[in-house]
């Protein structure tokens, strides 16, 4: 039997979940599974899905709280007739989960973060928890993600499938385009939003640049805090050396050119960009949070508290000045990425789908 899996995600933008969808669904298609996608808005990850011959179903342009989205999704489900609906990120966890239960289709909820993301509570989070607890399975990308659902009393099947590593680009970083040719670099990347701790990140890189007068810093990413980030960079007085790089399709090229990669995140699931930096052999400086510790085991990174930009800056300076030790840590981190192939992750999802369809549903 050819499995028909309908995936639902709001956007094909620059986030980690969107990237995983663009990596995994084409592989599922090639592995004999019909993996179609229902989504709302296009973005940088659309091209990979089109190239991978993934059937795409774009929802009508509606506001995110428009109740007509439920009937739009129901219409697509009736067309596709999926064996399973898998939802990605909170909006579709709620909308897609409701439609799945409405139409009697087994639902899988994807957990992409951990408890800290939902600390503020609110009716949306409570609604999502209720839907998740009645799903056939929850698949998290980290142990801490599953711990969150255990703390909520989830009795459904719980699985961990780590994020697949984004295949690295072989192109060199376009250093000359930003006037950075020959400059030693400190790199950060991620969505410019609260959970990435952007204010501390800017202060930490600025602090390191004061100690490393030849270095430049580049922060890649887009998000709701873009304008605030620009203002913070200006306030450091280092805007000539600390740059906001926007979205890049060649992050691996920049990482290969960098002396240090820093993540100051307050919370993560299985951190995509940290994994990509490790695979590029770039020394890591990470905020001391469970998700970073879960990946970077065995003395493979330097850690500092997420609330202390001075300590994060000191760790970057240490990585630059003690280069030999930093490269040893980087090699250990690089080895940790070897099992994280997209093919392995895609097959793991397929195995879970098949096991769910052969088991009796929980009540």
């Amino acid at each position: 039997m050819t499995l028909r899996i309908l995936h639902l995600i709001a956007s094909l933008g620059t986030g980690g979940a969107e990237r995983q969808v663009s990596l995994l669904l084409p592989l599922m298609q090639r592995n004999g599974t019909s993996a179609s996608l229902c989504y709302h808005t296009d973005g940088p990850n659309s091209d990979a899905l089109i190239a991978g011959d993934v059937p795409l179903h774009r929802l009508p342009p509606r506001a995110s709280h428009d109740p007509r989205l439920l009937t739009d999704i129901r219409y697509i489900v009736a067309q596709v007739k999926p064996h399973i609906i898998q939802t990605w990120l909170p909006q579709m966890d709620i909308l897609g989960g409701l439609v799945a239960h409405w139409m009697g289709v087994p639902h899988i909820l994807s957990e992409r973060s951990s408890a800290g993301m939902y600390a503020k509570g609110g009716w949306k989070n409570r609604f999502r928890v209720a839907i998740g607890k009645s799903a056939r399975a929850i698949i998290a990308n980290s142990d801490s993600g599953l711990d969150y659902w255990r703390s909520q009393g989830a009795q459904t099947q719980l699985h961990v499938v780590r994020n697949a590593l984004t295949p690295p680009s072989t192109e060199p970083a376009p250093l000359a385009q930003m006037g950075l040719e020959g400059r030693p670099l400190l790199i950060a990347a991620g969505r410019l939003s609260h959970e990435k701790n952007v204010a501390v990140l800017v202060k930490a890189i600025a602090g390191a640049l004061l100690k490393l007068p030849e270095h430049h810093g580049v922060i890649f990413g887009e998000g709701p805090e873009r304008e605030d980030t620009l203002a913070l960079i200006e306030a450091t007085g280092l805007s000539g050396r600390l740059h906001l790089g926007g979205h890049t399709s060649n992050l691996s090229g920049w990482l290969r050119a960098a002396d240090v990669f820093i993540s100051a995140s307050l919370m993560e699931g299985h951190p995509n960009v940290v994994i990509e930096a490790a695979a590029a052999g770039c020394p890591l400086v990470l905020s001391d949070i469970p998700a970073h510790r879960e990946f970077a085991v065995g003395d493979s990174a330097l850690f500092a508290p997420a609330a202390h930009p001075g300590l994060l800056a000191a760790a970057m300076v240490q990585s630059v000045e003690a280069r030999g030790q930093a490269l040893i840590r980087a090699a250990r981190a690089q080895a940790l990425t070897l099992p994280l192939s997209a093919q392995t992750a895609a097959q793991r999802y397929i195995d879970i789908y098949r096991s769910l369809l052969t088991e009796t549903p929980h009540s």
Side-chain angles (χ1 to χ4, degrees):
M1 176 183 72
T2 299
L3 288 174
R4 294 189 302 276
I5 313 299
L6 177 62
H7 297 260
L8 282 80
I9 195 166
S11 160
L12 293 174
T14 59
E18 294 86 343
R19 188 187 312 172
Q20 289 298 300
V21 165
S22 74
L23 286 173
L24 297 172
L25 269 59
L27 289 172
M28 292 179 188
Q29 285 287 99
R30 291 201 287 274
N31 286 0
T33 298
S34 176
S36 52
L37 179 68
C38 171
Y39 71 105
H40 205 201
T41 55
D42 280 302
N45 286 296
S46 301
D47 291 345
L49 293 161
I50 294 168
D53 294 323
V54 174
L56 300 177
H57 305 271
R58 186 170 183 179
L59 293 165
R62 303 195 194 280
S64 59
H65 293 96
D66 192 324
R68 291 175 294 177
L69 284 168
L70 289 168
T71 54
D72 296 334
I73 293 169
R74 188 181 189 280
Y75 176 75
I76 291 169
V77 172
Q79 284 186 310
V80 176
K81 296 181 173 61
H83 296 109
I84 290 173
I85 290 173
Q86 181 167 354
T87 60
W88 300 74
L89 300 179
Q91 184 193 24
M92 286 302 174
D93 292 339
I94 293 172
L95 296 176
L98 283 172
V99 172
H101 293 298
W102 182 9
M103 301 185 70
V105 181
H107 173 215
I108 295 175
L109 183 147
S110 305
E111 180 53 68
R112 315 306 298 169
S113 191
S114 53
M117 179 66 74
Y118 313 110
K120 291 184 179 179
W123 70 267
K124 289 182 184 178
N125 285 340
R126 293 193 295 272
F127 199 8
R128 178 175 180 264
V129 166
I131 290 170
K133 288 168 71 172
S134 60
R136 284 288 295 276
I138 296 168
I139 303 179
N141 61 2
S142 67
D143 293 334
S144 55
L146 287 194
D147 288 342
Y148 168 69
W149 285 97
R150 292 188 183 102
S151 75
Q152 299 301 310
Q155 300 296 315
T156 188
Q157 283 198 31
L158 301 176
H159 301 272
V160 172
V161 180
R162 310 288 179 193
N163 282 347
L165 176 65
T166 301
S169 165
T170 58
E171 295 295 320
L175 298 170
Q177 291 181 13
M178 292 181 64
L180 296 175
E181 199 166 20
R183 303 288 191 178
L185 298 175
L186 311 175
I187 295 289
R191 180 171 166 77
L192 302 179
S193 55
H194 164 73
E195 69 274 11
K196 302 301 182 182
N197 204 15
V198 179
V200 167
L201 176 68
V202 170
K203 292 175 185 177
I205 296 176
L209 293 177
L210 291 174
K211 299 286 187 180
L212 301 167
E214 299 301 317
H215 279 69
H216 282 240
V218 185
I219 301 172
F220 289 103
E222 296 287 353
E225 295 189 6
R226 176 181 173 81
E227 295 306 315
D228 290 343
T229 305
L230 284 169
L232 287 168
I233 290 172
E234 287 293 329
T236 67
L238 293 167
S239 58
R241 294 173 56 209
L242 179 49
H243 314 276
L244 198 56
H247 172 71
T248 177
S249 58
N250 185 20
L251 182 59
S252 54
W254 285 95
L255 291 166
R256 288 192 298 271
D259 285 349
V260 178
F261 172 81
I262 175 174
S263 171
S265 290
L266 296 169
M267 61 202 76
E268 290 280 357
H270 194 224
N272 277 298
V273 183
V274 172
I275 296 164
E276 195 169 346
C282 186
L284 305 175
V285 171
L286 307 176
S287 54
D288 198 351
I289 59 173
H292 286 158
R293 288 282 185 181
E294 188 176 324
F295 167 70
V297 298
D299 192 23
S300 56
L302 290 181
F303 293 91
H308 291 277
L311 295 178
L312 287 163
M316 283 185 274
V317 173
Q318 180 183 337
S319 290
V320 170
E321 293 181 343
R323 183 68 176 167
Q325 295 176 13
L327 291 176
I328 291 171
R329 287 192 300 273
R332 291 174 181 148
Q334 190 173 48
L336 297 173
T337 69
L338 296 178
L340 301 176
S341 75
Q343 184 64 54
T344 299
Q347 188 59 53
R348 176 80 174 112
Y349 277 107
I350 292 171
D351 292 344
I352 292 171
Y353 302 151
R354 293 195 181 280
S355 71
L356 285 178
L357 292 176
T358 58
E359 293 179 358
T360 303
H362 71 289
S363 60

